[in-house]
Amino acid sequence: MAATASFDLKSVLKLDGYLEPFIPAIAHRHERFQKWKDTIDQYEGGYEKFTRGFDKMGFNVKDSGEIVYREWAPNATEANLIGDFNQWNRMSHPLKKNEFGVWEITLPPKAPGVCAIPHDSKVKISMITPSGARIERIPAWIQRVTQDLAFSPAYEGRFWNPSTSEKYQFKNPRPPQPRAIRIYEAHVGISTSDHRVGTYKEFTQDTLPRIHALGYNTIQLMAIMEHPYYASFGYQVTSFFAASSRYGTPEELRELIDTAHGMGITVLLDVVHSHACKNVLDGLNAFDGSDHQYFHEGSKGRHELWDSRLFNYGNHEVLRFLLSNLRFYMEEYKFDGFRFDGVTSMMYVHHGIGTGFSGGYPDYFGPGADEEAIVYLMLANDAMHTLYPSVITIAEDVSGMPLLCIPVSQGGIGFDYRLSMAIPDMWIKLLKHKTDDEWDMGNIVHTLTDRRYGEKSVAYAESHDQALVGDKTLAFWLMDKEMYTHMSDLTPMTPIIARGLSLHKMIRLLVHSLGGEGYLNFEGNEFGHPEWLDFPREGNNNSFQHARRQWNIVDDQILRYRYLNDFDAAINHLEEEHRWLSASQAYVSLKHGGDKMIAYERSGLLFVFNFHPTKSFTDYRIGVDEAGEYHIILTSDEKKFGGFENVSCGGKFTTTSMEWNGRKNWLQIYIPSRTCVVLGK
C-alpha cells in the first residue's frame, strides 16, 4: 500500500500548514508502519493473534494440567527448565529449539488436572551459550517474581497458577471511556501513613474511596511492572509481565482494578517501554548470553543517563514481546489504558539528552528522529485502539512532537493525550526565582494555552517529578517550614500560610480550567502534602519517613490541609457538572500585567483570578460574551476552603451590553487580592 494514499495529506496540513515541507518524512514513517502492519496481518493473524504472545510464550497451562513452556533465546545452544519441581536438575527437562530460536518443552500432568510444577514454586531456565558457558535466567514472560532482600536483591521467578477458587473473578464491567480524564497519579507502595510499603489490599480499602470522593475519574498506577530497586520509582523494569510482588499478589491487583471499576473509575498503567533495567540475573539484559537479543548492541542499546538498556524496536520478536505486554495488562488485569513513560527518549536517537527543543520542525523530522521507535509507538497505539476502542493512551513527551496525538490512520502517532510538561516547570521557576509582583500574567496564560491544535493535552501543576527529593511540592515552595508550625486552626493565620493556601488553590483551578483537555494530580498534592518524596535507600539509612502519604494530616479537622483537599474536590465536581475539560479552548479576554488579573470564558463559565499580592479591586470590569445574570458558583475565598469570606457565593452580577476587552458585554465584580472566582448563569 502506498503511504501517500493511506492517509489524507490535506487533513494533516489543515491541522498545521507548517508541516508541508515534512510531508515526505511523515509519509515515510507511515509507510514503515504499514509494512509492519501488513507483515503482522500476513504472517501472524493480525493484531488479535500477534498481541497475544503470552498465550504461546512463557508458561501456558491446559485444562488437563499439561504445561507448555516456550522461550525465545536464539543465541543459546542448549536449554533446560529447572526449579523446585525437579530439585534444580539441569539435565532432566531439556527444551527443543525451532528455526526461529524459540525453545519449547511440554510437561505432562502428574495426575488429571494436576500440574507437574506446583503453584508459586520457583523456576528458571538454564542455558548453554556458544562459548560453553552456563547461564541461568528468570523466564522473560514470567508473571510473578518475588524478592527476599534478606537473602539477595535478585528476584526469583515463580510459576503462578492459582486454583480456580483462588483466582480473582472480575465482577464489574469496564466503565465507559471518560468524557475527559481527571487523573489521580498514585503509587501503591506510598499509599500508607506507616513507615513501610503499602499493599494492593490497603489501596483498595483505604485509598480508592478517597480518590472517588475527590471526584477523580481516572487513576494512573505507577511502579506496577516489577522493578528490583524500590527507589527507582518503577522506572527500571526487570520482569515486564510480572506485577510487583512487593505490594501483594496478582489476584489482589485484579481486585483493586475491579473495585475501581465498580466506582466508575478508569485505571491506567504507567508503562515503561522506553528502556529496561540492565540487570542480568533477573532482567532481560544478555538474556541468551548475547548483547543484542531484546536490545540494540553496543552504545546504541544503552541509555547513558539512565544506565539502562534500549529495546530494538525493529525486531519482530521484540515487537511481539512489547505489544503482547500491553495486551496482557488490558486482558489479564483489565487496565483501561496506558501512560507511556519516556516517549521523548524513544522518539529521538539522542534521547533528548542535552537537547533543548526550540520548536523548530527539523528537530522532529530530521536525522534526530528515531523512526523505528516512532513506528513502534504507532503500532502500539493502532493495535490497542483497534482491539479496545475505549482505550486511553497518554504520552510523556517534552519535545512537542507534531501529530503525536493524531490517530495513526490520519498520519499521526496515535496517542489520545500528551502531558503538558512545560506547565509544572513554569510554576517551579516562578516560585523559585520571581517575587509575586514579578509574575507575568501574559507568560502564565501563554504557557497554559500553548498547545497543538487538534491534539489533546493533560495539564498539571505538579506530578511525581516535582515531588521527588531534590525538589519540593508546590505547597512546600509556598509555605516551607511554616507548614510544621502554622497549619493548625489553633495558630494564627500568618502571611506566609495565607499566601500559600491562596496561591495553591488559585494555581490548581487555573491549570485545571485553562491548561488542557485533561487534568492530573499526584497523590497527596491535592491537600498540599508537606515535604518531598524520597524512597528508602542507602543515602537515607533506608528510611520510609518520606516514602508514605500522611493521610492523618488531612483527616485532622483542626489542620488547614483539609481546606486544600476540599477545594480540590470542589473543582473536580464542578468540572463534572460544567464539563470545561471537554469544551473548546478558553477565550482569554484579560491578562493584565499591572493588576495581575486573568479572566477567561470556557464552557459557559467565567473564570476570574486576582494574583496581585496586595491589591483588591472593587467594581472591576470584566468582559463576557454572553449577556445575562451571573452568579458566583465557586470561590477560593470561602471559609470552608480556608478563605476570608470577603466574597460570598451566590451574589448576582448583571451584564451591560457594551463591548469590553473584545467581548460583547461586561459586568463588574469585587475581587480581593489572591482570590479566584467562577461565575455561571
PDB file of all heavy atoms in Angstrom, residues 398-431:
ATOM      1  N   VAL A 398       8.258  15.769  26.203  1.00  0.00           N
ATOM      2  CA  VAL A 398       8.615  17.153  26.482  1.00  0.00           C
ATOM      3  C   VAL A 398       8.974  17.895  25.195  1.00  0.00           C
ATOM      4  O   VAL A 398       9.105  19.105  25.186  1.00  0.00           O
ATOM      5  CB  VAL A 398       9.775  17.210  27.507  1.00  0.00           C
ATOM      6  CG1 VAL A 398      11.105  16.848  26.865  1.00  0.00           C
ATOM      7  CG2 VAL A 398       9.866  18.565  28.177  1.00  0.00           C
ATOM      8  N   SER A 399       9.111  17.162  24.083  1.00  0.00           N
ATOM      9  CA  SER A 399       9.655  17.765  22.867  1.00  0.00           C
ATOM     10  C   SER A 399       8.624  18.548  22.055  1.00  0.00           C
ATOM     11  O   SER A 399       8.982  19.433  21.287  1.00  0.00           O
ATOM     12  CB  SER A 399      10.259  16.683  21.966  1.00  0.00           C
ATOM     13  OG  SER A 399       9.258  15.908  21.324  1.00  0.00           O
ATOM     14  N   GLY A 400       7.348  18.190  22.193  1.00  0.00           N
ATOM     15  CA  GLY A 400       6.313  18.850  21.394  1.00  0.00           C
ATOM     16  C   GLY A 400       6.172  18.281  20.003  1.00  0.00           C
ATOM     17  O   GLY A 400       5.764  18.973  19.068  1.00  0.00           O
ATOM     18  N   MET A 401       6.484  17.009  19.829  1.00  0.00           N
ATOM     19  CA  MET A 401       6.378  16.335  18.519  1.00  0.00           C
ATOM     20  C   MET A 401       5.009  16.568  17.884  1.00  0.00           C
ATOM     21  O   MET A 401       3.982  16.240  18.476  1.00  0.00           O
ATOM     22  CB  MET A 401       6.634  14.839  18.704  1.00  0.00           C
ATOM     23  CG  MET A 401       6.288  13.972  17.507  1.00  0.00           C
ATOM     24  SD  MET A 401       7.328  14.173  16.056  1.00  0.00           S
ATOM     25  CE  MET A 401       8.755  13.156  16.481  1.00  0.00           C
ATOM     26  N   PRO A 402       4.954  17.150  16.671  1.00  0.00           N
ATOM     27  CA  PRO A 402       3.657  17.330  15.995  1.00  0.00           C
ATOM     28  C   PRO A 402       3.026  15.979  15.650  1.00  0.00           C
ATOM     29  O   PRO A 402       3.731  14.996  15.413  1.00  0.00           O
ATOM     30  CB  PRO A 402       4.033  18.083  14.703  1.00  0.00           C
ATOM     31  CG  PRO A 402       5.419  18.600  14.917  1.00  0.00           C
ATOM     32  CD  PRO A 402       6.087  17.664  15.882  1.00  0.00           C
ATOM     33  N   LEU A 403       1.699  15.948  15.638  1.00  0.00           N
ATOM     34  CA  LEU A 403       0.900  14.768  15.273  1.00  0.00           C
ATOM     35  C   LEU A 403       1.005  13.634  16.291  1.00  0.00           C
ATOM     36  O   LEU A 403       0.538  12.525  16.029  1.00  0.00           O
ATOM     37  CB  LEU A 403       1.277  14.234  13.878  1.00  0.00           C
ATOM     38  CG  LEU A 403       1.242  15.245  12.722  1.00  0.00           C
ATOM     39  CD1 LEU A 403       1.694  14.594  11.423  1.00  0.00           C
ATOM     40  CD2 LEU A 403      -0.146  15.840  12.553  1.00  0.00           C
ATOM     41  N   LEU A 404       1.581  13.904  17.447  1.00  0.00           N
ATOM     42  CA  LEU A 404       1.724  12.865  18.469  1.00  0.00           C
ATOM     43  C   LEU A 404       0.351  12.320  18.882  1.00  0.00           C
ATOM     44  O   LEU A 404       0.195  11.124  19.114  1.00  0.00           O
ATOM     45  CB  LEU A 404       2.457  13.434  19.693  1.00  0.00           C
ATOM     46  CG  LEU A 404       2.797  12.468  20.816  1.00  0.00           C
ATOM     47  CD1 LEU A 404       3.856  11.458  20.373  1.00  0.00           C
ATOM     48  CD2 LEU A 404       3.300  13.223  22.058  1.00  0.00           C
ATOM     49  N   CYS A 405      -0.636  13.220  18.964  1.00  0.00           N
ATOM     50  CA  CYS A 405      -1.971  12.827  19.435  1.00  0.00           C
ATOM     51  C   CYS A 405      -3.014  12.906  18.322  1.00  0.00           C
ATOM     52  O   CYS A 405      -4.159  13.307  18.541  1.00  0.00           O
ATOM     53  CB  CYS A 405      -2.378  13.686  20.626  1.00  0.00           C
ATOM     54  SG  CYS A 405      -1.232  13.545  21.992  1.00  0.00           S
ATOM     55  N   ILE A 406      -2.589  12.506  17.140  1.00  0.00           N
ATOM     56  CA  ILE A 406      -3.494  12.369  15.991  1.00  0.00           C
ATOM     57  C   ILE A 406      -3.535  10.879  15.647  1.00  0.00           C
ATOM     58  O   ILE A 406      -2.501  10.207  15.683  1.00  0.00           O
ATOM     59  CB  ILE A 406      -2.971  13.202  14.796  1.00  0.00           C
ATOM     60  CG1 ILE A 406      -2.948  14.697  15.154  1.00  0.00           C
ATOM     61  CG2 ILE A 406      -3.801  12.947  13.540  1.00  0.00           C
ATOM     62  CD1 ILE A 406      -4.291  15.318  15.474  1.00  0.00           C
ATOM     63  N   PRO A 407      -4.723  10.319  15.327  1.00  0.00           N
ATOM     64  CA  PRO A 407      -4.792   8.886  15.015  1.00  0.00           C
ATOM     65  C   PRO A 407      -3.808   8.473  13.922  1.00  0.00           C
ATOM     66  O   PRO A 407      -3.510   9.249  13.014  1.00  0.00           O
ATOM     67  CB  PRO A 407      -6.244   8.699  14.559  1.00  0.00           C
ATOM     68  CG  PRO A 407      -6.999   9.809  15.209  1.00  0.00           C
ATOM     69  CD  PRO A 407      -6.053  10.963  15.277  1.00  0.00           C
ATOM     70  N   VAL A 408      -3.328   7.241  14.027  1.00  0.00           N
ATOM     71  CA  VAL A 408      -2.368   6.714  13.053  1.00  0.00           C
ATOM     72  C   VAL A 408      -2.980   6.734  11.656  1.00  0.00           C
ATOM     73  O   VAL A 408      -2.299   7.035  10.669  1.00  0.00           O
ATOM     74  CB  VAL A 408      -1.938   5.281  13.451  1.00  0.00           C
ATOM     75  CG1 VAL A 408      -1.003   4.688  12.396  1.00  0.00           C
ATOM     76  CG2 VAL A 408      -1.254   5.289  14.821  1.00  0.00           C
ATOM     77  N   SER A 409      -4.267   6.462  11.563  1.00  0.00           N
ATOM     78  CA  SER A 409      -4.946   6.438  10.262  1.00  0.00           C
ATOM     79  C   SER A 409      -4.946   7.809   9.589  1.00  0.00           C
ATOM     80  O   SER A 409      -5.167   7.919   8.386  1.00  0.00           O
ATOM     81  CB  SER A 409      -6.389   5.954  10.423  1.00  0.00           C
ATOM     82  OG  SER A 409      -7.089   6.817  11.308  1.00  0.00           O
ATOM     83  N   GLN A 410      -4.664   8.860  10.370  1.00  0.00           N
ATOM     84  CA  GLN A 410      -4.621  10.221   9.831  1.00  0.00           C
ATOM     85  C   GLN A 410      -3.195  10.760   9.746  1.00  0.00           C
ATOM     86  O   GLN A 410      -2.975  11.968   9.655  1.00  0.00           O
ATOM     87  CB  GLN A 410      -5.486  11.147  10.692  1.00  0.00           C
ATOM     88  CG  GLN A 410      -6.961  10.809  10.651  1.00  0.00           C
ATOM     89  CD  GLN A 410      -7.773  11.593  11.685  1.00  0.00           C
ATOM     90  OE1 GLN A 410      -7.457  12.751  11.973  1.00  0.00           O
ATOM     91  NE2 GLN A 410      -8.792  10.967  12.245  1.00  0.00           N
ATOM     92  N   GLY A 411      -2.223   9.853   9.836  1.00  0.00           N
ATOM     93  CA  GLY A 411      -0.832  10.266   9.704  1.00  0.00           C
ATOM     94  C   GLY A 411      -0.142  10.580  11.015  1.00  0.00           C
ATOM     95  O   GLY A 411       1.017  11.009  11.026  1.00  0.00           O
ATOM     96  N   GLY A 412      -0.838  10.357  12.137  1.00  0.00           N
ATOM     97  CA  GLY A 412      -0.260  10.679  13.440  1.00  0.00           C
ATOM     98  C   GLY A 412       0.403   9.490  14.108  1.00  0.00           C
ATOM     99  O   GLY A 412       0.534   8.408  13.524  1.00  0.00           O
ATOM    100  N   ILE A 413       0.807   9.704  15.383  1.00  0.00           N
ATOM    101  CA  ILE A 413       1.450   8.634  16.160  1.00  0.00           C
ATOM    102  C   ILE A 413       0.409   7.898  17.006  1.00  0.00           C
ATOM    103  O   ILE A 413       0.648   6.784  17.459  1.00  0.00           O
ATOM    104  CB  ILE A 413       2.620   9.213  16.994  1.00  0.00           C
ATOM    105  CG1 ILE A 413       3.684   9.776  16.032  1.00  0.00           C
ATOM    106  CG2 ILE A 413       3.246   8.162  17.910  1.00  0.00           C
ATOM    107  CD1 ILE A 413       4.839  10.477  16.710  1.00  0.00           C
ATOM    108  N   GLY A 414      -0.759   8.529  17.198  1.00  0.00           N
ATOM    109  CA  GLY A 414      -1.897   7.768  17.703  1.00  0.00           C
ATOM    110  C   GLY A 414      -2.243   7.872  19.169  1.00  0.00           C
ATOM    111  O   GLY A 414      -3.165   7.203  19.632  1.00  0.00           O
ATOM    112  N   PHE A 415      -1.527   8.714  19.945  1.00  0.00           N
ATOM    113  CA  PHE A 415      -1.891   8.875  21.353  1.00  0.00           C
ATOM    114  C   PHE A 415      -3.180   9.680  21.477  1.00  0.00           C
ATOM    115  O   PHE A 415      -3.550  10.443  20.582  1.00  0.00           O
ATOM    116  CB  PHE A 415      -0.768   9.591  22.119  1.00  0.00           C
ATOM    117  CG  PHE A 415       0.433   8.735  22.381  1.00  0.00           C
ATOM    118  CD1 PHE A 415       1.548   8.799  21.556  1.00  0.00           C
ATOM    119  CD2 PHE A 415       0.452   7.845  23.448  1.00  0.00           C
ATOM    120  CE1 PHE A 415       2.662   8.005  21.791  1.00  0.00           C
ATOM    121  CE2 PHE A 415       1.553   7.047  23.696  1.00  0.00           C
ATOM    122  CZ  PHE A 415       2.660   7.128  22.862  1.00  0.00           C
ATOM    123  N   ASP A 416      -3.855   9.513  22.616  1.00  0.00           N
ATOM    124  CA  ASP A 416      -5.059  10.300  22.898  1.00  0.00           C
ATOM    125  C   ASP A 416      -4.715  11.640  23.545  1.00  0.00           C
ATOM    126  O   ASP A 416      -5.386  12.638  23.302  1.00  0.00           O
ATOM    127  CB  ASP A 416      -6.006   9.517  23.823  1.00  0.00           C
ATOM    128  CG  ASP A 416      -6.521   8.263  23.157  1.00  0.00           C
ATOM    129  OD1 ASP A 416      -7.198   8.387  22.125  1.00  0.00           O
ATOM    130  OD2 ASP A 416      -6.218   7.156  23.636  1.00  0.00           O
ATOM    131  N   TYR A 417      -3.702  11.632  24.404  1.00  0.00           N
ATOM    132  CA  TYR A 417      -3.308  12.842  25.125  1.00  0.00           C
ATOM    133  C   TYR A 417      -1.781  12.901  25.221  1.00  0.00           C
ATOM    134  O   TYR A 417      -1.109  11.880  25.216  1.00  0.00           O
ATOM    135  CB  TYR A 417      -3.829  12.831  26.567  1.00  0.00           C
ATOM    136  CG  TYR A 417      -5.321  12.847  26.759  1.00  0.00           C
ATOM    137  CD1 TYR A 417      -6.052  11.663  26.783  1.00  0.00           C
ATOM    138  CD2 TYR A 417      -6.000  14.046  26.977  1.00  0.00           C
ATOM    139  CE1 TYR A 417      -7.430  11.668  27.009  1.00  0.00           C
ATOM    140  CE2 TYR A 417      -7.373  14.059  27.207  1.00  0.00           C
ATOM    141  CZ  TYR A 417      -8.083  12.871  27.221  1.00  0.00           C
ATOM    142  OH  TYR A 417      -9.435  12.881  27.450  1.00  0.00           O
ATOM    143  N   ARG A 418      -1.273  14.119  25.380  1.00  0.00           N
ATOM    144  CA  ARG A 418       0.121  14.303  25.779  1.00  0.00           C
ATOM    145  C   ARG A 418       0.139  15.051  27.110  1.00  0.00           C
ATOM    146  O   ARG A 418      -0.797  15.792  27.439  1.00  0.00           O
ATOM    147  CB  ARG A 418       0.914  15.082  24.721  1.00  0.00           C
ATOM    148  CG  ARG A 418       0.395  16.478  24.518  1.00  0.00           C
ATOM    149  CD  ARG A 418       1.306  17.463  23.772  1.00  0.00           C
ATOM    150  NE  ARG A 418       2.377  16.971  22.994  1.00  0.00           N
ATOM    151  CZ  ARG A 418       2.412  16.969  21.645  1.00  0.00           C
ATOM    152  NH1 ARG A 418       1.370  17.411  20.959  1.00  0.00           N
ATOM    153  NH2 ARG A 418       3.467  16.546  21.007  1.00  0.00           N
ATOM    154  N   LEU A 419       1.169  14.827  27.896  1.00  0.00           N
ATOM    155  CA  LEU A 419       1.315  15.553  29.159  1.00  0.00           C
ATOM    156  C   LEU A 419       1.912  16.932  28.886  1.00  0.00           C
ATOM    157  O   LEU A 419       2.914  17.041  28.170  1.00  0.00           O
ATOM    158  CB  LEU A 419       2.223  14.777  30.109  1.00  0.00           C
ATOM    159  CG  LEU A 419       1.652  13.477  30.681  1.00  0.00           C
ATOM    160  CD1 LEU A 419       2.719  12.723  31.454  1.00  0.00           C
ATOM    161  CD2 LEU A 419       0.459  13.753  31.585  1.00  0.00           C
ATOM    162  N   SER A 420       1.307  17.973  29.443  1.00  0.00           N
ATOM    163  CA  SER A 420       1.815  19.339  29.261  1.00  0.00           C
ATOM    164  C   SER A 420       2.936  19.603  30.256  1.00  0.00           C
ATOM    165  O   SER A 420       2.735  20.224  31.307  1.00  0.00           O
ATOM    166  CB  SER A 420       0.684  20.350  29.446  1.00  0.00           C
ATOM    167  OG  SER A 420      -0.248  20.235  28.403  1.00  0.00           O
ATOM    168  N   MET A 421       4.122  19.143  29.901  1.00  0.00           N
ATOM    169  CA  MET A 421       5.234  19.135  30.856  1.00  0.00           C
ATOM    170  C   MET A 421       5.821  20.521  31.117  1.00  0.00           C
ATOM    171  O   MET A 421       6.534  20.728  32.095  1.00  0.00           O
ATOM    172  CB  MET A 421       6.308  18.162  30.382  1.00  0.00           C
ATOM    173  CG  MET A 421       5.781  16.730  30.293  1.00  0.00           C
ATOM    174  SD  MET A 421       6.979  15.542  29.671  1.00  0.00           S
ATOM    175  CE  MET A 421       8.045  15.362  31.099  1.00  0.00           C
ATOM    176  N   ALA A 422       5.499  21.500  30.261  1.00  0.00           N
ATOM    177  CA  ALA A 422       6.038  22.855  30.462  1.00  0.00           C
ATOM    178  C   ALA A 422       5.327  23.576  31.605  1.00  0.00           C
ATOM    179  O   ALA A 422       5.887  24.500  32.207  1.00  0.00           O
ATOM    180  CB  ALA A 422       5.900  23.664  29.175  1.00  0.00           C
ATOM    181  N   ILE A 423       4.095  23.148  31.914  1.00  0.00           N
ATOM    182  CA  ILE A 423       3.303  23.883  32.923  1.00  0.00           C
ATOM    183  C   ILE A 423       3.903  23.764  34.329  1.00  0.00           C
ATOM    184  O   ILE A 423       4.137  24.782  34.989  1.00  0.00           O
ATOM    185  CB  ILE A 423       1.822  23.441  32.880  1.00  0.00           C
ATOM    186  CG1 ILE A 423       1.201  23.821  31.521  1.00  0.00           C
ATOM    187  CG2 ILE A 423       1.028  24.061  34.023  1.00  0.00           C
ATOM    188  CD1 ILE A 423      -0.213  23.302  31.303  1.00  0.00           C
ATOM    189  N   PRO A 424       4.170  22.542  34.837  1.00  0.00           N
ATOM    190  CA  PRO A 424       4.774  22.484  36.178  1.00  0.00           C
ATOM    191  C   PRO A 424       6.140  23.150  36.241  1.00  0.00           C
ATOM    192  O   PRO A 424       6.480  23.770  37.255  1.00  0.00           O
ATOM    193  CB  PRO A 424       4.875  20.976  36.462  1.00  0.00           C
ATOM    194  CG  PRO A 424       4.742  20.304  35.144  1.00  0.00           C
ATOM    195  CD  PRO A 424       3.894  21.201  34.298  1.00  0.00           C
ATOM    196  N   ASP A 425       6.904  23.058  35.155  1.00  0.00           N
ATOM    197  CA  ASP A 425       8.218  23.719  35.133  1.00  0.00           C
ATOM    198  C   ASP A 425       8.060  25.225  35.323  1.00  0.00           C
ATOM    199  O   ASP A 425       8.850  25.864  36.020  1.00  0.00           O
ATOM    200  CB  ASP A 425       8.938  23.450  33.805  1.00  0.00           C
ATOM    201  CG  ASP A 425       9.389  22.003  33.671  1.00  0.00           C
ATOM    202  OD1 ASP A 425       9.361  21.290  34.698  1.00  0.00           O
ATOM    203  OD2 ASP A 425       9.750  21.580  32.562  1.00  0.00           O
ATOM    204  N   MET A 426       7.033  25.789  34.692  1.00  0.00           N
ATOM    205  CA  MET A 426       6.794  27.238  34.817  1.00  0.00           C
ATOM    206  C   MET A 426       6.506  27.628  36.265  1.00  0.00           C
ATOM    207  O   MET A 426       7.059  28.610  36.773  1.00  0.00           O
ATOM    208  CB  MET A 426       5.615  27.630  33.930  1.00  0.00           C
ATOM    209  CG  MET A 426       5.181  29.078  34.122  1.00  0.00           C
ATOM    210  SD  MET A 426       3.567  29.436  33.400  1.00  0.00           S
ATOM    211  CE  MET A 426       2.458  28.565  34.502  1.00  0.00           C
ATOM    212  N   TRP A 427       5.650  26.847  36.956  1.00  0.00           N
ATOM    213  CA  TRP A 427       5.306  27.211  38.333  1.00  0.00           C
ATOM    214  C   TRP A 427       6.526  27.123  39.251  1.00  0.00           C
ATOM    215  O   TRP A 427       6.732  27.999  40.099  1.00  0.00           O
ATOM    216  CB  TRP A 427       4.187  26.316  38.865  1.00  0.00           C
ATOM    217  CG  TRP A 427       2.866  26.550  38.192  1.00  0.00           C
ATOM    218  CD1 TRP A 427       2.155  25.660  37.461  1.00  0.00           C
ATOM    219  CD2 TRP A 427       2.120  27.773  38.174  1.00  0.00           C
ATOM    220  NE1 TRP A 427       1.004  26.239  36.981  1.00  0.00           N
ATOM    221  CE2 TRP A 427       0.950  27.534  37.405  1.00  0.00           C
ATOM    222  CE3 TRP A 427       2.320  29.046  38.731  1.00  0.00           C
ATOM    223  CZ2 TRP A 427      -0.009  28.525  37.185  1.00  0.00           C
ATOM    224  CZ3 TRP A 427       1.363  30.031  38.509  1.00  0.00           C
ATOM    225  CH2 TRP A 427       0.222  29.765  37.744  1.00  0.00           C
ATOM    226  N   ILE A 428       7.338  26.086  39.055  1.00  0.00           N
ATOM    227  CA  ILE A 428       8.531  25.951  39.897  1.00  0.00           C
ATOM    228  C   ILE A 428       9.466  27.140  39.677  1.00  0.00           C
ATOM    229  O   ILE A 428      10.001  27.723  40.630  1.00  0.00           O
ATOM    230  CB  ILE A 428       9.266  24.611  39.600  1.00  0.00           C
ATOM    231  CG1 ILE A 428       8.383  23.419  39.980  1.00  0.00           C
ATOM    232  CG2 ILE A 428      10.600  24.551  40.327  1.00  0.00           C
ATOM    233  CD1 ILE A 428       8.093  23.242  41.452  1.00  0.00           C
ATOM    234  N   LYS A 429       9.652  27.533  38.400  1.00  0.00           N
ATOM    235  CA  LYS A 429      10.544  28.675  38.105  1.00  0.00           C
ATOM    236  C   LYS A 429      10.008  29.954  38.732  1.00  0.00           C
ATOM    237  O   LYS A 429      10.768  30.767  39.269  1.00  0.00           O
ATOM    238  CB  LYS A 429      10.682  28.846  36.589  1.00  0.00           C
ATOM    239  CG  LYS A 429      11.659  27.856  35.964  1.00  0.00           C
ATOM    240  CD  LYS A 429      11.680  27.975  34.447  1.00  0.00           C
ATOM    241  CE  LYS A 429      12.453  26.824  33.842  1.00  0.00           C
ATOM    242  NZ  LYS A 429      12.140  26.617  32.428  1.00  0.00           N
ATOM    243  N   LEU A 430       8.689  30.161  38.634  1.00  0.00           N
ATOM    244  CA  LEU A 430       8.096  31.369  39.229  1.00  0.00           C
ATOM    245  C   LEU A 430       8.307  31.402  40.738  1.00  0.00           C
ATOM    246  O   LEU A 430       8.723  32.419  41.306  1.00  0.00           O
ATOM    247  CB  LEU A 430       6.594  31.419  38.932  1.00  0.00           C
ATOM    248  CG  LEU A 430       6.149  31.924  37.561  1.00  0.00           C
ATOM    249  CD1 LEU A 430       4.633  31.851  37.448  1.00  0.00           C
ATOM    250  CD2 LEU A 430       6.617  33.353  37.325  1.00  0.00           C
ATOM    251  N   LEU A 431       8.016  30.288  41.394  1.00  0.00           N
ATOM    252  CA  LEU A 431       8.108  30.251  42.858  1.00  0.00           C
ATOM    253  C   LEU A 431       9.563  30.321  43.330  1.00  0.00           C
ATOM    254  O   LEU A 431       9.844  30.815  44.421  1.00  0.00           O
ATOM    255  CB  LEU A 431       7.427  28.993  43.398  1.00  0.00           C
ATOM    256  CG  LEU A 431       5.905  28.948  43.187  1.00  0.00           C
ATOM    257  CD1 LEU A 431       5.348  27.589  43.558  1.00  0.00           C
ATOM    258  CD2 LEU A 431       5.212  30.041  44.006  1.00  0.00           C
TER     259      LEU A 431
END
